Amino acid sequence: MRLWEFIVNLTALLIFVAMLLSSWVGHSWGDDIIELAFGFGGTVICLFPYEATSYSGHWGWSHRQWRIPPEGWIKFCGIVALLLGAFSIYTGSEWLDSMIRR
């Protein structure tokens, strides 16, 4: 593992723990369930991008090779999901809830 990957993984883990603590201190587990789900999913994808890519592959043109998306792209998507959940919790907005519950 490279140093920048370690720093990104540690930061993602700390952001998710801060989200959990914020929800626990504010006694808002039920209200923050969607944000926590985004945070958990983003953290897991950020920490384990190779395992996440193995589930999202597809066959190539000739069915002779199995193509998987790049790990960096999957890690980036996990970070975005984590940051969306964290932004929604820390700003107290309901835009993520309303977007999911449509």
Side-chain angles (χ1 to χ4, degrees):
M1 177 183 295
R2 298 180 196 123
L3 180 62
W4 69 270
E5 288 177 334
F6 176 74
I7 292 171
V8 169
N9 290 346
L10 184 64
T11 304
L13 197 58
L14 290 176
I15 288 173
F16 182 66
V17 168
M19 288 172 63
L20 286 175
L21 288 175
S22 171
S23 185
W24 181 58
V25 169
H27 300 290
S28 60
W29 289 102
D31 296 334
D32 295 340
I33 193 73
I34 292 176
E35 289 87 354
L36 290 173
F38 264 71
F40 178 74
T43 303
V44 168
I45 290 172
C46 181
L47 293 177
F48 308 108
Y50 180 74
E51 286 78 5
T53 58
S54 65
Y55 292 111
S56 60
H58 62 278
W59 287 107
W61 286 100
S62 62
H63 285 280
R64 283 189 225 158
Q65 73 185 108
W66 181 254
R67 295 179 182 239
I68 58 174
E71 291 177 33
W73 175 248
I74 297 296
K75 189 175 195 87
F76 174 75
C77 291
I79 291 168
V80 168
L82 173 67
L83 292 177
L84 282 174
F87 180 75
S88 184
I89 279 183
Y90 293 134
T91 59
S93 62
E94 298 292 324
W95 63 272
L96 191 57
D97 291 335
S98 64
M99 185 173 65
I100 298 296
R101 292 182 181 169
R102 282 185 190 177

